[in-house]
Amino acid sequence: MPVFVKDNEKCVGCLICCFACGRAHMAVGLESSCIKVSSIGGISRGFAVYVCRGCIDPPCSRACPEDALSVRKNGGVLLKEDRCNGCGACVKACIFDAIGWNSKKNKPVICIQCGECARNCPYRVLEYVRT
Amino acid sequence: MIKQDPIKRVLYIDLSKKSYSIEERDDLFANYIGGTGVAIKLLNQNCPSNIDASSPENPIIFAIGPLNGLFPIASKTVALFKSPHTGNLGESHAGGRSALAIRMAGYGAIVIKGKSERPSYITIHGDKVYFRDATTLWGLKEGVSPASLIRRREEGAGLRTIMRIGPAGERGITYSCVTLETYRHFGRLGLGAVFGSKNLKAVVISGKRDLPVLDFKDYRALYGELLKQLAESDKMKKYHELGTPANVKPLYFSKGLPIKNLLTNEHDGIDEISGESFAEKHLSRRVACSHCPVACIHLAALRKPYEDEPYFYRTVNISYDYELLYALGSMLGVTDTKGVLSLIEIVEEMGLDAISTGVVLSWLTEAYEKGIITDALTEGLKLEWGNVDTYLEVIRRIVYGNGELYEDLRKGVAYASNKYGGKEFALVFGKNEMPGYHTGYGSHLGVLFGARHSHLDSGGYAIDKEMMLKPLNEEQLADKIITEECWRQILSSLVICFFGREIYIPEVVIKCLRIAGYEIDEEDLNRIGKEIYREKYLFKIKHGFEIENLSLPDRIFELPTSVGILDRRFIQKATEILKEKIKSLL
Ligand code: SF4
Ligand code: SF4
Ligand code: SF4
């Protein structure tokens, strides 16, 4: 669980973390981002940030029919792209909605636990802990 | 422009026919970049010169630029239309999620024409456009949020903007706004009334995609550099922390803050309505437009007791900034934060432009004091500086009342002062109510000659700040105004928020554009900036604007500004030079 959401209340909804995640995957824009930010029913109530929590027993991996998502030692998953058939079952299985999508490749974008989102957040909403 | 970049796609929507089409306009985006540059071209092509602003033929143009979605603080959408307030060029900018949503939906511009038979709203999900019934959303009174109803109905994964009008727009008040994401607005010049005249309650836009860049490594490096500057540079500090309300006190002490319709430079409650006071008493949250690290939007919590029910409170979050504290605070002589917040709240609920509303009320108060406006006309309301309850009632009557005076006030100060008198103190510039700067020559002339008669046209208050230290002559002033306005055409074609203008200097813009596939140098930028400015003036003239008929209200000469009492001869000379310079561009 390398990226924690320390304090949603401080989040300003700038989406800088999403763009950082995109760049971490060599992409520009939001589709590739695995981290998601949404307002809690209207902006006056603030925002919620959802980022891969690095499950020890990850449902995304279990949902994959091709065994393309292997479980990492300390939680979370690794994508073996050549195995993935682009069915999107992992995306549906993650209740955090913490998987992005690359529509050019038609493959999921999985959190690589790089911490770029946390490093880019201007308000230290997120914290990166190396595991 | 990069070949695969969807920025060149223009979506045309016809509300009368409930149809839409997409056109690729490489020509426009290659030559005019995007945003305001492309929008003025589209407006000139789509808006016939003889039409009324409330005609179905009046097009609404939304445009963004190639840097939206690529670089931080490129967060704005430009809206162009024929203004029902001035009968001429209407231009307004807003952030929220709009720019990113349009980019993610895969467009550079959206043109909306025609008129829906019934109240409707439109939803743009990527390539699909849906025409939805909004009969039930029309005429909703205070307290029910059309945006939350729309939010519940429209699924739309990914990023989404909801632009909508309030009762003011539905009822055609010429200074009604379009609200986005609760706290952002296409505020000035009456886009809300244009929506209303089309029976258009709201526009929802959503999408999701990745964008192409020329060189990813350069992109990543430049992005990092810009983000760092936006977060750490002293140039941005004023927008963080207290936000723009930090200006209330310094402007007050330099005599630049307009108070009570410019009747005085004194305000007893200045400490109370300062940025410091709002932050201390009410600041509850800060929020940002999408893709902007600055988070300049300051929300204030206002806790109000229920009169009939003890131990019941209602807490609302209201956004405030400098212009609001001016228009609904100092300009009306309001002396407490709660009073200002109550006025902001009702202006938000009605969907009015806050600046124009404030100046309408301040003109009305003075006209009433002078006996030009009588009790018979106000139907018994006694206008008085600082009396918030009366102002709340006037606003309700402007929107819902049907007395003659209130009907007239729906058209703004220029119209009302023409009819009733009191032109000497009618603070309008090119028919638009004044923004919050009585700082000197730069602000007043900048607004008068600006293409949209806004303080943002050339940021004249910043020129005045320079003039406080080192005087400029007429020629130098005119030069600065025009040069700045031309440069701002570029920023609003990219579309960079003006708050980032000290970071996005020409050499940075050139680097960013290179990554977006534009080979452009500084000379090109200057040329394009001038061309866009020229196009705007051509539109203005085609639609009846007469530069010779521009005049300044007498009042501004009666009260010291930040650079002292304005000298009429200086203004006269600077005016002649500005006219010549503008004419030479045409
Ligand atoms: S840790 Fe890296 S991959 Fe995971 S959400 Fe953050 S930026 Fe994206
Ligand atoms: S993607 Fe979702 S399900 Fe998979 S490990 Fe991360 S949080 Fe768990
Ligand atoms: S970068 Fe930080 S403040 Fe901005 S949306 Fe992400 S978590 Fe929120």
Side-chain angles (χ1 to χ4, degrees):
Chain A
M1 190 184 184
V3 173
F4 295 87
V5 180
K6 275 199 304 191
D7 187 1
N8 265 326
E9 282 295 316
K10 235 174 119 204
C11 173
V12 300
C14 62
L15 310 185
I16 293 293
C17 53
C18 305
F19 281 94
C21 183
R23 288 196 305 287
H25 294 98
M26 302 283 285
V28 185
L30 293 178
E31 192 178 31
S32 283
S33 174
C34 340
I35 184 166
K36 310 281 167 65
V37 180
S38 56
S39 71
I40 312 173
I43 287 166
S44 57
R45 303 207 181 127
F47 300 88
V49 190
Y50 297 100
V51 58
C52 172
R53 59 167 302 194
C55 302
I56 300 293
D57 177 14
C60 55
S61 160
R62 275 183 272 129
C64 177
E66 306 288 344
D67 240 345
L69 292 167
S70 58
V71 184
R72 296 166 76 125
K73 198 164 97 237
N74 292 313
V77 290
L78 280 171
L79 174 67
K80 295 194 189 99
E81 238 178 56
D82 48 339
R83 285 205 187 176
C84 168
N85 67 10
C87 71
C90 54
V91 176
K92 290 196 196 90
C94 175
I95 206 166
F96 271 41
D97 189 23
I99 296 178
W101 197 259
N102 182 328
S103 47
K104 261 198 213 95
K105 290 191 192 159
N106 195 36
K107 300 264 152 89
V109 184
I110 301 285
C111 175
I112 50 176
Q113 308 192 351
C114 64
E116 276 305 306
C117 50
R119 270 190 288 279
N120 276 264
C121 170
Y123 299 99
R124 291 180 290 278
V125 170
L126 309 165
E127 189 177 24
Y128 178 60
V129 184
R130 204 179 282 279
T131 49
Chain B
M1 203 185 343
I2 299 169
K3 217 167 166 286
Q4 311 86 307
D5 195 330
I7 190 77
K8 59 180 177 265
R9 288 165 27 110
V10 179
L11 172 65
Y12 293 86
I13 296 175
D14 187 328
L15 290 167
S16 308
K17 297 194 189 122
K18 292 195 183 183
S19 65
Y20 65 97
S21 60
I22 296 162
E23 221 177 272
E24 301 215 333
R25 297 296 304 265
D26 311 55
D27 56 324
L28 287 185
F29 284 88
N31 294 324
Y32 299 95
I33 305 175
T36 207
V38 165
I40 187 63
K41 277 301 209 188
L42 286 169
L43 187 68
N44 265 326
Q45 287 164 8
N46 287 280
C47 184
S49 59
N50 51 0
I51 59 158
D52 190 80
S54 60
S55 151
E57 282 176 273
N58 187 7
I60 299 168
I61 322 266
F62 292 115
I64 56 161
L67 301 195
N68 291 108
L70 259 51
F71 290 102
I73 211 167
S75 53
K76 294 266 172 166
T77 304
V78 170
L80 257 66
F81 48 96
K82 184 164 184 172
S83 163
H85 197 53
T86 62
N88 211 293
L89 178 65
E91 173 170 358
S92 194
H93 302 177
R97 301 198 191 104
S98 60
L100 200 55
I102 295 172
R103 194 78 163 109
M104 292 294 113
Y107 303 103
I110 299 170
V111 180
I112 303 174
K113 286 173 89 163
K115 176 178 178 175
S116 172
E117 193 190 334
R118 290 204 170 78
S120 70
Y121 75 89
I122 45 186
T123 299
I124 303 165
H125 284 315
D127 275 349
K128 295 250 160 32
V129 179
Y130 304 93
F131 297 83
R132 314 268 206 224
D133 190 288
T135 332
T136 335
L137 299 177
W138 207 261
L140 283 175
K141 290 268 166 139
E142 295 155 58
V144 189
S145 152
S148 68
L149 291 165
I150 292 172
R151 236 186 342 255
R152 272 169 28 150
R153 259 187 72 117
E154 295 292 332
E155 289 291 317
L159 191 86
R160 177 166 69 179
T161 186
I162 302 179
M163 310 174 175
R164 48 101 180 158
I165 58 168
E170 292 176 5
R171 302 169 83 86
I173 294 168
T174 62
Y175 46 97
S176 44
C177 70
V178 171
T179 305
L180 319 76
E181 284 62 276
T182 320
Y183 298 118
R184 305 273 82 194
H185 313 89
F186 290 108
R188 308 231 63 194
L189 297 171
L191 183 60
V194 182
F195 266 53
S197 70
K198 296 185 172 317
N199 266 334
L200 180 61
K201 180 70 187 177
V203 176
V204 185
I205 306 168
S206 73
K208 214 174 199 187
R209 71 177 62 235
D210 289 339
L211 297 165
V213 288
L214 269 198
D215 183 319
F216 188 80
K217 249 177 83 191
D218 284 356
Y219 167 69
R220 190 156 54 187
L222 184 54
Y223 190 109
E225 212 176 281
L226 289 169
L227 191 64
K228 192 163 170 242
Q229 284 191 39
L230 286 167
E232 291 168 12
S233 159
D234 274 348
K235 294 171 190 157
M236 299 308 297
K237 222 176 146 186
K238 54 193 172 215
Y239 306 113
H240 291 290
E241 304 182 356
L242 293 176
T244 58
N247 289 330
V248 170
K249 272 190 161 176
L251 279 171
Y252 174 75
F253 289 121
S254 75
K255 303 196 183 334
L257 176 71
I259 297 160
K260 297 185 186 166
N261 211 43
L262 291 187
L263 278 167
T264 169
N265 285 130
E266 305 287 324
H267 190 320
D268 293 338
I270 195 66
D271 283 325
E272 175 75 13
I273 64 160
S274 66
E276 290 80 357
S277 158
F278 272 89
E280 192 190 303
K281 292 189 179 145
H282 299 281
L283 182 56
S284 64
R285 189 182 286 286
R286 280 176 49 198
V287 292
C289 293
S290 291
H291 214 175
C292 171
V294 180
C296 74
I297 308 164
H298 287 56
L299 302 187
L302 178 63
R303 181 168 170 254
K304 286 179 158 180
Y306 281 85
E307 272 154 29
D308 46 357
E309 197 99 52
Y311 298 103
F312 265 98
Y313 289 88
R314 187 169 73 94
T315 302
V316 281
N317 285 294
I318 297 162
S319 74
Y320 64 97
D321 64 15
Y322 172 75
E323 294 297 335
L324 291 164
L325 303 194
Y326 141 68
L328 301 170
S330 67
M331 195 60 160
L332 301 178
V334 178
T335 51
D336 67 311
T337 52
K338 285 190 179 166
V340 178
L341 290 173
S342 302
L343 286 167
I344 300 177
E345 186 187 17
I346 191 166
V347 162
E348 288 277 17
E349 276 179 357
M350 298 298 178
L352 287 161
D353 171 34
I355 297 179
S356 288
T357 305
V359 180
V360 164
L361 295 176
S362 75
W363 174 84
L364 182 68
T365 311
E366 185 171 348
Y368 180 83
E369 276 189 338
K370 293 203 154 63
I372 295 170
I373 297 294
T374 58
D375 283 319
L377 282 166
T378 64
E379 297 164 359
L381 291 184
K382 300 198 183 314
L383 275 296
E384 185 189 12
W385 298 115
N387 189 330
V388 172
D389 288 337
T390 310
Y391 287 136
L392 291 171
E393 184 54 27
V394 174
I395 294 171
R396 273 185 214 110
R397 290 193 193 178
I398 290 175
V399 177
Y400 291 117
N402 42 23
E404 183 189 352
L405 173 67
Y406 299 108
E407 301 252 359
D408 292 331
L409 292 175
R410 286 180 199 157
K411 302 190 182 91
V413 171
Y415 182 88
S417 62
N418 226 344
K419 175 164 169 181
Y420 297 99
K423 271 192 178 178
E424 327 76 71
F425 56 85
L427 294 167
V428 284
F429 296 72
K431 295 194 192 152
N432 198 18
E433 286 76 12
M434 84 174 277
Y437 304 92
H438 182 52
T439 49
Y441 300 100
S443 60
H444 289 313
L445 287 172
V447 175
L448 186 65
F449 284 95
R452 52 185 173 132
H453 308 290
S454 153
H455 58 297
L456 295 170
D457 283 331
S458 56
Y461 47 92
I463 304 177
D464 292 331
K465 211 167 159 190
E466 278 177 51
M467 283 181 83
M468 284 167 74
L469 303 169
K470 184 171 157 274
L472 301 172
N473 65 30
E474 296 87 345
E475 178 78 34
Q476 290 165 321
L477 173 70
D479 243 353
K480 275 195 186 279
I481 289 176
I482 303 249
T483 311
E484 182 64 21
E485 186 158 357
C486 287
W487 171 244
R488 286 184 180 214
Q489 305 307 324
I490 298 295
L491 292 177
S492 49
S493 296
L494 294 166
V495 177
I496 303 284
C497 172
F498 287 157
F499 289 174
R501 66 183 179 276
E502 290 181 59
I503 309 279
Y504 282 84
I505 53 176
E507 59 169 287
V508 173
V509 167
I510 290 165
K511 278 193 212 162
C512 293
L513 278 171
R514 184 164 304 138
I515 284 165
Y518 286 78
E519 271 310 325
I520 279 184
D521 61 21
E522 197 163 340
E523 221 173 278
D524 295 326
L525 287 179
N526 289 333
R527 175 182 48 80
I528 297 169
K530 271 194 198 140
E531 257 176 63
I532 297 170
Y533 182 63
R534 175 175 175 269
E535 276 288 326
K536 287 187 180 171
Y537 254 94
L538 289 178
F539 179 91
K540 285 171 82 78
I541 290 165
K542 200 167 102 189
H543 290 257
F545 177 79
E546 287 172 37
I547 202 166
E548 295 303 337
N549 283 350
L550 282 180
S551 67
L552 290 164
D554 285 341
R555 172 58 49 78
I556 64 163
F557 296 97
E558 292 163 9
L559 193 76
T561 68
S562 306
V563 297
I565 286 274
L566 298 178
D567 175 0
R568 283 201 189 251
R569 271 173 323 192
F570 186 100
I571 293 256
Q572 186 62 35
K573 191 163 170 208
T575 300
E576 290 312 319
I577 299 172
L578 277 163
K579 282 182 191 164
E580 283 319 307
K581 281 188 190 290
I582 291 168
K583 283 186 202 153
S584 76
L585 284 173
L586 303 179

